[in-house]
Amino acid sequence: MTDIAHRWADSYRTRLTIGYVVVIALIASAWAWSLFGPLNNAIVSQQSDNLQAVAQAGALVLGQTETTAAETAMRLTARTNLRMTIIAPDGSVLADSEEVPSTMENHRDRPEVAEALGGNVGVDRRVSTTQGTERIYVAVPASFDGQNVALRVSDSLERINSVAASARRFGLVLLALALAFAAAIVARLTAVASQPVARLSRAANAMAQGNLSAVVPEESGDLGVLSSALVELREQMRARLDALEAEQGNLRAVLDGLPDGVVLLHDGEVRIANSAIASILKTDTRSWRGHPVSRLGLPASIAGAIERGLGSAEPLTEDCGPDTSGHYFRVGILPLNPAEEHTRHLVVISDVTERVRIDSVRRDFVANASHELKTPAAGISLLAESATNAATDGDIDQAITFAKQISSESARLGRLVSDLLDLSRLEGKTVPGSVVDVRKSIENTMLGHRIAAGARGIELSVDLESVAGTDVIAAADPTDLAVALDNLLDNAIKYTESGSVLVNVNINEQDVCISVADTGIGIPGADIPRIFERFYRVDRARSRDSGGTGLGLALVRHVVERSNGTIEVISTPGKGSVFTITLPRARH
Ligand code: ADP
């Protein structure tokens, strides 16, 4: 049992015990008081009544006696063991059973004697002048020897007191026994009464410590109501805790599911940090809770942005970076309750490195594309002017030459525009479930290149032997494959002086492999990683002379990527190149 429960049960038991003790003490006091006060008085009054009865009997005997007063007094004393005194009407003592009458004073002034001589019963309590002890006196009227006398009977109070004392002793022993018995009952009663309270307080205390599986004892009566209330309370707490935990779990799941890093700051100290923040900043955030932003070891630019956001009542967004590993971040700081005493801020940190890179690529692309478009456009304008001048000068041959160059430049412009359009289309999404008959696509593409190959004296052939009798279907868009094959064949013919271009098709369980091999100029090893970049050319002049746009292999790369395929190049300068694209095989 805990200290608190102990104290509570103890105080309850103590209070109960005090209550019982007070009641018992009151009863015991009343009892004790009755032993010392009323009991004494009752004994004295009883004795006084007895003395009165004895005196009346003595008066009867005295009225009929034929002996002397002294003898009668002695006889009465012998029978009653009480002191007898006979007093004459003038107050002089006629006889006394214990003293010599002649030595005794006149008793007229004694209150009981005065009463008896006046015809009444007189009673008095005082210290005897002759004996020096406290006594009780009862005097009654009597007749002796023809005159009205008083017969007084007296008894020592010491004797009465000793009777009272022994009665008191007996009463006190009884009281002590009763008290001991009552103490035992009180101890038992308080223990029995406080046990259920202690049990309930133990359960309540365990619940207060957060133990919601604490067993609440079943009690009866008033404590039964308390016990059921505790059970109800425990169930409600459990339900609320479960709901709270579920809510917290949902919140945590939402926060952890966010791609951006989210941090909740309370008075500038971290309260919540989601898991994305750790992966974005590549740091362990488990010890962040309770620490101020300045102590989190954040890159200086991010920490600075957050500090500025904390000092502003308005939402703030800042771009930071690059950090030491070249990453760029966007930091948003949103004040949640700017007007309140305790401030809360939501900090959102996004890794925008990819966006920054794409923006830069786009900018470069626009610049390159503009440049590529500007060159033929400017050439056309210049050639048109020259053609006009030549025609004006009557130099028709020259004018025709310029006109042919205009036609060639505009064809190049047209190819450039067409490649740009293809590029933009290929940046979009592919149609899901598209399939293409590879054999048919190769045959169609070859048709368009036979004339060019023939013109350059290059042998253009296709080897489908390994797939003879098999449908070769790839999971790709037909237009995409046509674009890729067209560019690969175009390049193979363009960059081959003499020899051959061979298209080969192979399949396995999963893939279709199409390779375009030429015996051309080949590509230096250092350039191979870059030939798929837009507008990259190994030999710029040669590419331009042969009508290249610099976008052909970029288009092939896009096709392969969006079809979940791969592309591979093997090339030896001066000997030739082999471009192999692998596409997933379609099942049907
Ligand atoms: P281009 O329009 O200049 O051909 P591509 O993107 O198709 O642009 O090709 C990029 C560069 O790769 C070409 O300029 C060329 O230098 C090189 N290249 C591509 N295919 C071949 C090949 N079959 N043989 C040799 N060089 C090639």
Side-chain angles (χ1 to χ4, degrees):
M1 205 199 315
T2 64
D3 282 355
I4 299 167
H6 256 304
R7 258 182 273 136
W8 203 80
D10 279 356
S11 102
Y12 174 72
R13 192 174 175 180
T14 307
R15 274 183 282 153
L16 206 62
T17 308
I18 288 171
Y20 280 125
V21 166
V22 167
V23 171
I24 291 169
L26 282 174
I27 294 170
S29 310
W31 187 336
W33 173 77
S34 73
L35 287 179
F36 284 89
L39 179 71
N40 229 23
N41 292 343
I43 291 174
V44 170
S45 142
Q46 184 58 49
Q47 188 59 8
S48 150
D49 289 349
N50 290 345
L51 291 181
Q52 199 176 322
V54 171
Q56 293 291 9
L60 216 64
V61 171
L62 187 62
Q64 291 164 5
T65 190
E66 287 178 3
T67 60
T68 62
E71 202 173 321
T72 309
M74 293 308 283
R75 271 173 53 204
L76 286 173
T77 297
R79 294 282 175 93
T80 59
N81 208 21
L82 294 168
R83 182 182 171 190
M84 298 282 171
T85 311
I86 301 165
I87 300 116
D90 62 353
S92 58
V93 177
L94 293 176
D96 188 277
S97 56
E98 289 179 15
E99 301 287 335
V100 179
S102 55
T103 62
M104 294 171 70
E105 323 175 323
N106 189 294
H107 274 45
R108 197 176 31 234
D109 296 338
R110 304 288 194 273
E112 74 281 356
V113 174
E115 279 290 324
L117 289 176
N120 297 318
V121 176
V123 178
D124 193 28
R125 240 174 102 176
R126 65 177 177 276
V127 176
S128 159
T129 47
T130 51
Q131 295 189 332
T133 55
E134 192 181 15
R135 299 184 72 88
I136 181 166
Y137 299 94
V138 175
V140 295
S143 60
F144 177 70
D145 204 17
Q147 58 181 343
N148 287 331
V149 295
L151 174 64
R152 190 179 73 175
V153 181
S154 78
D155 194 6
S156 164
L157 266 179
E158 256 171 43
R159 207 173 63 82
I160 296 167
N161 282 344
S162 88
V163 171
S166 77
R168 251 196 315 272
R169 263 195 306 282
F170 181 68
L172 286 174
V173 168
L174 266 184
L175 179 61
L177 284 175
L179 280 177
F181 189 60
I185 289 176
V186 165
R188 179 76 196 132
L189 274 182
T190 54
V192 168
S194 64
Q195 264 165 15
V197 175
R199 278 198 297 270
L200 286 176
S201 74
R202 264 199 299 275
N205 204 46
M207 282 161 60
Q209 305 288 318
N211 174 13
L212 292 189
S213 44
V215 177
V216 178
E218 272 183 36
E219 304 294 348
S220 52
D222 288 350
L223 289 178
V225 178
L226 182 60
S227 143
S228 339
L230 273 180
V231 170
E232 179 69 13
L233 187 69
R234 187 190 60 192
E235 294 313 311
Q236 277 193 18
M237 276 169 73
R238 261 190 205 156
R240 287 200 187 158
L241 213 65
D242 286 351
L244 214 64
E245 272 170 11
E247 192 76 359
Q248 216 169 19
N250 290 341
L251 192 70
R252 193 74 233 180
V254 168
L255 277 178
D256 286 344
L258 291 174
D260 293 330
V262 177
V263 181
L264 180 72
L265 297 176
H266 184 94
D267 287 339
E269 286 181 357
V270 176
R271 282 293 155 87
I272 299 173
N274 73 345
S275 54
I277 196 96
S279 56
I280 288 176
L281 298 178
K282 314 242 173 330
T283 181
D284 188 355
T285 59
R286 279 173 298 183
S287 58
W288 277 21
R289 208 179 139 86
H291 290 292
V293 173
S294 55
R295 301 248 309 271
L296 303 180
L298 292 172
S301 55
I302 295 181
I306 296 175
E307 291 296 349
R308 280 187 288 283
L310 292 181
S312 155
E314 297 299 317
L316 189 89
T317 303
E318 281 194 23
D319 287 326
C320 307
D323 67 356
T324 46
S325 56
H327 279 78
Y328 291 84
F329 303 99
R330 173 157 291 182
V331 183
I333 304 105
L334 181 72
L336 297 178
N337 51 346
E340 288 174 23
E341 187 193 348
H342 293 282
T343 58
R344 289 194 306 152
H345 289 82
L346 196 66
V347 178
V348 180
I349 302 177
S350 327
D351 186 342
V352 291
T353 312
E354 185 59 13
R355 212 183 303 161
V356 168
R357 191 189 68 79
I358 290 171
D359 283 352
S360 152
V361 168
R362 262 189 215 290
R363 268 197 306 278
D364 287 353
F365 175 71
V366 170
N368 283 334
S370 312
H371 179 73
E372 294 289 336
L373 288 167
K374 215 173 77 185
T375 311
I380 288 169
S381 154
L382 213 66
L383 287 166
E385 201 182 314
S386 304
T388 311
N389 289 342
T392 314
D393 294 348
D395 188 348
I396 299 301
D397 288 345
Q398 189 63 37
I400 289 171
T401 308
F402 286 138
K404 279 183 181 162
Q405 284 177 354
I406 288 172
S407 158
S408 145
E409 282 301 314
S410 34
R412 204 159 83 84
L413 205 58
R415 273 198 305 281
L416 199 58
V417 171
S418 153
D419 280 358
L420 286 172
L421 286 173
D422 277 340
L423 204 60
S424 125
R425 186 183 66 80
L426 289 171
E427 278 184 340
K429 285 213 160 93
T430 180
V431 180
S434 299
V435 291
V436 55
D437 183 336
V438 174
R439 188 181 272 118
K440 226 181 252 171
S441 185
I442 291 173
E443 278 164 7
N444 286 343
T445 315
M446 297 265 287
L447 273 180
H449 290 277
R450 280 203 192 284
I451 297 166
R456 292 173 63 86
I458 293 164
E459 187 194 336
L460 179 61
S461 56
V462 57
D463 180 0
L464 296 170
E465 215 169 277
S466 67
V467 293
T470 316
D471 283 343
V472 186
I473 311 294
D477 184 271
T479 317
D480 285 11
L481 185 60
V483 168
L485 289 175
D486 188 45
N487 280 287
L488 288 176
L489 278 174
D490 186 52
N491 283 350
I493 294 164
K494 251 183 352 195
Y495 299 111
T496 300
E497 299 294 337
S498 62
S500 61
V501 170
L502 174 66
V503 179
N504 202 348
V505 178
N506 276 299
I507 53 168
N508 60 33
E509 269 296 298
Q510 283 87 35
D511 303 309
V512 179
C513 303
I514 309 161
S515 64
V516 179
D518 63 56
T519 56
I521 60 171
I523 307 162
D527 291 298
I528 288 183
R530 300 201 58 190
I531 53 175
F532 295 99
E533 289 176 19
R534 295 157 181 186
F535 300 116
Y536 185 82
R537 294 150 171 125
V538 176
D539 181 343
R540 185 163 283 275
R542 181 173 186 134
S543 164
R544 179 156 304 130
D545 290 349
S546 57
T549 60
L551 290 173
L553 289 182
L555 290 171
V556 176
R557 179 173 59 97
H558 273 290
V559 167
V560 166
E561 277 175 2
R562 72 184 207 141
S563 309
N564 297 318
T566 57
I567 182 158
E568 203 177 82
V569 188
I570 300 169
S571 185
T572 313
K575 289 203 167 160
S577 314
V578 183
F579 285 80
T580 306
I581 58 173
T582 304
L583 298 172
R585 213 175 147 185
R587 319 241 150 241
H588 56 157

